[in-house]
Amino acid sequence: MLSLWALLLGFGLDLLLGDPHGFPHPVVFIGKLISKTEVLARRIFPKTKWGENAAGGCLWLFVVIVSTALPLGLLFLCHQISPFLRLGVESLMCWQILATKSLRTESMKVYDSLKTGDLQASRQAVSMIVGRDTRRLDREGVIRATVETVAENTSDGIVAPLLFLAVGGAPLGFFYKAVNTMDSMLGYVEPPYKNIGLVPAKMDDVVNFLPARISAFLMLGAGCLLRLDGRNGWRIFRRDRFHHASPNSAQTESVCAGLLGLRLAGDAWYHGVLHEKPYIGDPLRDISEEDIPLSCRLLYVTAFLSLLLFGGIKLLILL
């Protein structure tokens, strides 16, 4: 029950405060741990394909153990002192695991730049939330990239963390963040990450398999509540949900594209290399900067539906 209250309080703190700049964030620690472990693993293992694959596997195992064990141990110590201390600390942890407000805030920075007509500022703003090269993006490309990342990160940044927090509290939430962060940092198909990032990328696919599909159905429900085109959302989801190299990323992207009547995805540049990617959705209308706040509203309603679903199931189990 303490974990459930911590989840609710953490969700509220996330909506209220987001991710304040300058405030210590555990994901920064996870990122530094990944970087230092990568350097060590590359020194220890031979510089062959299989050696780098093994290095990536050991790196993944070490980082998830540390990222899960530290918050678990801290919460255990806090509980020995006072259950209320544990509640407070775990609430702060849940807050920092979720990214609802911060995703909206960063996306709206792109929107604000577009409204002023400053394409260069828009490219800079969108580069903070996407992994692709943004220097070549035109106005429509900037909008498309922003809507795509809101759709994808609705699962990675909100629904999936909420699911893991509901199942195992903050320690399991940090397990998920470690898996997701390793994929973000290492899961590329270009050198020098192609081999060492194989295990982190595949494990992220495994861990996100169920959350991505739950996210897609919750987003469909959110779209219906917002009176978007739910029928088209379902049609595009069924048709395009696997139009991505990842088995998970297109799940929510296809729903979002269908609900909004847009065509998303397509070719993109990563680290100076053009990647040919299939389109997702149909261009039933021209994309507009107003699709950014609309996708953010879709994000928020999906987040609340996720909280109701996972929190409700957890409460029923506890009762």
Side-chain angles (χ1 to χ4, degrees), residues 70 111 196 235 240 244 265 314:
L70 285 180
Y111 173 78
I196 199 169
R235 181 179 69 86
D240 295 350
H244 200 284
K314 187 176 181 73

Side-chain angles (χ1 to χ4, degrees), residues 7-319:
L7 173 59
L8 296 174
L9 291 171
F11 185 84
L13 286 171
D14 176 50
L15 294 184
L16 182 65
L17 302 175
D19 184 12
H21 291 289
F23 192 83
H25 203 293
V27 175
V28 175
F29 164 77
I30 293 174
K32 291 180 178 179
L33 178 64
I34 294 168
S35 297
K36 292 184 180 299
T37 307
E38 179 193 352
V39 172
L40 182 61
R42 289 186 184 275
R43 289 177 182 173
I44 294 175
F45 289 86
K47 292 178 174 57
T48 63
K49 177 181 178 180
W50 297 110
E52 290 185 352
N53 286 343
C58 291
L59 182 157
W60 185 89
L61 188 62
F62 176 75
V63 171
V64 296
I65 289 174
V66 173
S67 301
T68 307
L70 285 180
L72 182 64
L74 178 59
L75 290 177
F76 175 79
L77 292 175
C78 290
H79 194 83
Q80 302 309 303
I81 298 171
S82 168
F84 294 104
L85 177 61
R86 177 201 159 175
L87 173 62
V89 172
E90 189 167 9
S91 298
L92 293 176
M93 289 180 176
C94 293
W95 161 41
Q96 295 187 309
I97 288 169
L98 298 170
T100 313
K101 184 176 181 180
S102 61
L103 181 55
R104 180 188 182 278
T105 298
E106 296 302 317
S107 302
M108 291 304 292
K109 288 179 182 178
V110 182
Y111 173 78
D112 293 337
S113 298
L114 288 167
K115 293 294 285 184
T116 64
D118 192 338
L119 180 58
Q120 185 57 39
S122 303
R123 289 169 174 164
Q124 178 62 31
V126 78
S127 72
M128 304 303 293
I129 55 175
V130 300
R132 72 189 67 180
D133 299 339
T134 61
R135 290 172 296 174
R136 296 178 174 88
L137 293 179
D138 57 12
R139 180 181 177 84
E140 288 73 22
V142 169
I143 300 170
R144 190 177 299 110
T146 306
V147 172
E148 285 173 27
T149 199
V150 171
E152 182 179 355
N153 283 288
T154 297
S155 177
D156 293 353
I158 296 107
V159 180
L162 279 171
L163 173 59
F164 281 87
L165 288 170
V167 172
L172 202 60
F174 277 116
F175 163 84
Y176 176 78
K177 294 302 291 186
V179 172
N180 193 242
T181 305
M182 277 189 282
D183 179 60
S184 299
M185 294 178 64
L186 305 174
Y188 296 99
V189 296
E190 301 90 3
Y193 300 110
K194 182 176 181 179
N195 297 323
I196 199 169
L198 178 65
V199 171
K202 294 301 181 183
M203 290 307 299
D204 183 77
D205 288 343
V206 172
V207 169
N208 276 295
F209 187 86
L210 181 61
R213 284 145 183 82
I214 295 174
S215 300
F217 283 103
L218 289 172
M219 185 177 284
L220 271 171
C224 293
L225 291 175
L226 289 171
R227 298 186 177 180
L228 299 175
D229 194 343
R231 180 174 295 180
N232 193 53
W234 173 247
R235 181 179 69 86
I236 298 299
F237 167 71
R238 293 184 64 191
R239 191 190 75 186
D240 295 350
R241 65 187 186 276
F242 294 118
H243 284 192
H244 200 284
S246 163
N248 303 320
S249 295
Q251 301 290 320
T252 47
E253 286 186 35
S254 60
V255 172
C256 184
L259 290 172
L260 273 58
L262 302 174
R263 187 171 71 174
L264 301 177
D267 297 350
W269 291 83
Y270 293 86
H271 303 115
V273 179
L274 177 63
H275 290 250
E276 296 182 355
K277 302 166 66 176
Y279 287 109
I280 297 173
D282 295 327
L284 302 182
R285 61 178 180 82
D286 292 334
I287 196 167
S288 160
E289 67 266 12
E290 297 302 326
D291 289 311
I292 296 176
L294 181 56
S295 66
C296 289
R297 289 197 291 275
L298 189 60
L299 156 75
Y300 265 66
V301 177
T302 305
F304 276 104
L305 290 178
S306 304
L307 182 69
L308 288 172
L309 176 63
F310 302 144
I313 292 175
K314 187 176 181 73
L315 180 60
L316 289 175
I317 292 173
L318 291 172
L319 295 177

